Amino acid sequence: LFMARWMQMSFYHQKLWKTLVPLFASGVFMGLAIASKWIGCYGAVGLAVLFFWSMARRWREYRAAMRDGRAEWAYAAAYPRYIGITILFCLVFFVAIPMLIYYFSYYWHLRGEGLASFADMFSMRYVRKVIDLQTRIFNYHAGLAGDTHYFRSPWYQWPIIWWPMWYFSGTANLPTSGMISSISCMGNPAVWWFGLVALLYVLMRAAWKKRAPEAYVIVLIGFASQFLPWVLVPRSTFIYHYFASVPFIILASILMLDRLRGEDP
């Protein structure tokens, strides 16, 4: 959301510091996402693609201004300085800040391993503990490559809800005998099937138009960043890995419905 807001701005038309505010917010929430679940790293790739795609537009505007020498574009000569400052701040926003957020998210975990105070987080002992945890987490997931779980489902089955997952079933603490409690995991067909059609529509329309609408590009890159990495993952996967892609098929549905109503972004 904040990256999309930044893409609507331009340091040619707004004060430079104002364009840095949504980038800062985007970096903070990226750090929170990665600290919550590693698939936030997939989203980080999408943010990078959107950032550099938008920067390429600023570059084209700059080149056009320098080539044409139009007086009203004279301020574009500031591009080298503006781009340098923006990238410098982005190293803080999208590298330093997310790393700090991720590291300090282990505070309560480390309290159970002898951490006495927040100040101890700055000691190399606990830095090494967090690094060791990353190795253990990665090795665990890498070890699932040969898993034969009954409800495993490859990436191409998720959008059509080919193989839902059964989370739980049991009879404990139920008031009447003969009853069971059950929790299953599947997509809502009205959302997932319609969203898949809408996503294909957005893709075709973006490819057809000489200049794809920005909203279409954001939705497609957002979806691709959350979905395509799973194509390359060798471990067992499940339908719930598609959850992070669902917001983007909902947005694609909105874009298609708007188009059917005669409106366009």
Side-chain angles (χ1 to χ4, degrees):
L1 176 62
F2 285 109
M3 181 59 73
R5 172 63 184 137
W6 175 78
M7 293 172 66
Q8 295 171 339
M9 305 175 74
S10 170
F11 45 49
Y12 295 144
H13 302 95
Q14 284 97 15
K15 292 183 181 298
L16 179 61
W17 70 266
K18 288 186 177 180
T19 67
L20 297 176
V21 173
L23 287 176
F24 166 75
S26 183
V28 168
F29 281 99
M30 188 189 89
L32 292 172
I34 296 173
S36 300
K37 195 167 179 64
W38 277 8
I39 60 170
C41 295
Y42 300 164
V45 175
L47 290 177
V49 172
L50 291 173
F51 175 82
F52 287 109
W53 179 69
S54 188
M55 276 298 184
R57 292 191 302 172
R58 301 287 89 83
W59 167 253
R60 289 193 296 269
E61 293 169 357
Y62 166 70
R63 289 295 299 272
M66 295 298 98
R67 182 178 60 250
D68 299 341
R70 290 175 291 174
E72 67 270 22
W73 280 82
Y75 55 80
Y79 172 84
R81 181 167 62 89
Y82 287 168
I83 191 68
I85 293 173
T86 300
I87 291 177
L88 183 63
F89 272 92
C90 282
L91 291 175
V92 177
F93 298 160
F94 292 100
V95 179
I97 290 178
M99 287 180 66
L100 289 173
I101 291 174
Y102 186 86
Y103 176 71
F104 288 113
S105 70
Y106 280 92
Y107 171 75
W108 290 107
H109 179 91
L110 294 177
R111 284 296 297 268
E113 295 196 5
L115 186 74
S117 66
F118 184 80
D120 288 343
M121 292 286 291
F122 296 93
S123 69
M124 285 305 301
R125 175 190 174 192
Y126 288 100
V127 170
R128 285 192 294 268
K129 277 183 174 289
V130 172
I131 294 174
D132 179 61
L133 277 170
Q134 310 315 300
T135 303
R136 286 156 53 190
I137 293 170
F138 178 83
N139 289 339
Y140 167 78
H141 287 283
L144 295 177
D147 181 53
T148 57
H149 196 288
Y150 181 73
F151 288 109
R152 68 190 187 283
S153 175
W155 58 273
Y156 51 83
Q157 293 181 345
W158 305 338
I160 57 174
I161 325 175
W162 181 267
W163 195 248
M165 185 174 184
W166 200 359
Y167 277 160
F168 169 81
S169 68
T171 58
N173 301 319
L174 291 172
T176 306
S177 61
M179 297 177 62
I180 67 167
S181 60
S182 180
I183 303 173
S184 63
C185 166
M186 65 176 293
N188 184 329
V191 176
W192 289 33
W193 292 349
F194 185 83
L196 178 60
V197 173
L199 186 73
L200 294 174
Y201 165 81
V202 168
L203 177 61
M204 290 186 293
R205 183 162 171 77
W208 179 263
K209 299 192 74 169
K210 184 176 181 181
R211 195 167 194 176
E214 189 173 90
Y216 285 36
V217 174
I218 292 173
V219 168
L220 289 171
I221 292 178
F223 176 85
S225 69
Q226 288 298 332
F227 183 66
L228 292 183
W230 293 107
V231 176
L232 305 174
V233 173
R235 54 153 287 186
S236 290
T237 54
F238 303 89
I239 193 171
Y240 59 72
H241 289 128
Y242 190 61
F243 287 174
S245 304
V246 173
F248 296 103
I249 67 171
I250 293 173
L251 291 173
S253 301
I254 293 169
L255 291 174
M256 187 172 76
L257 290 172
D258 277 349
R259 180 61 180 171
L260 292 175
R261 295 194 310 170
E263 301 177 11
D264 217 357

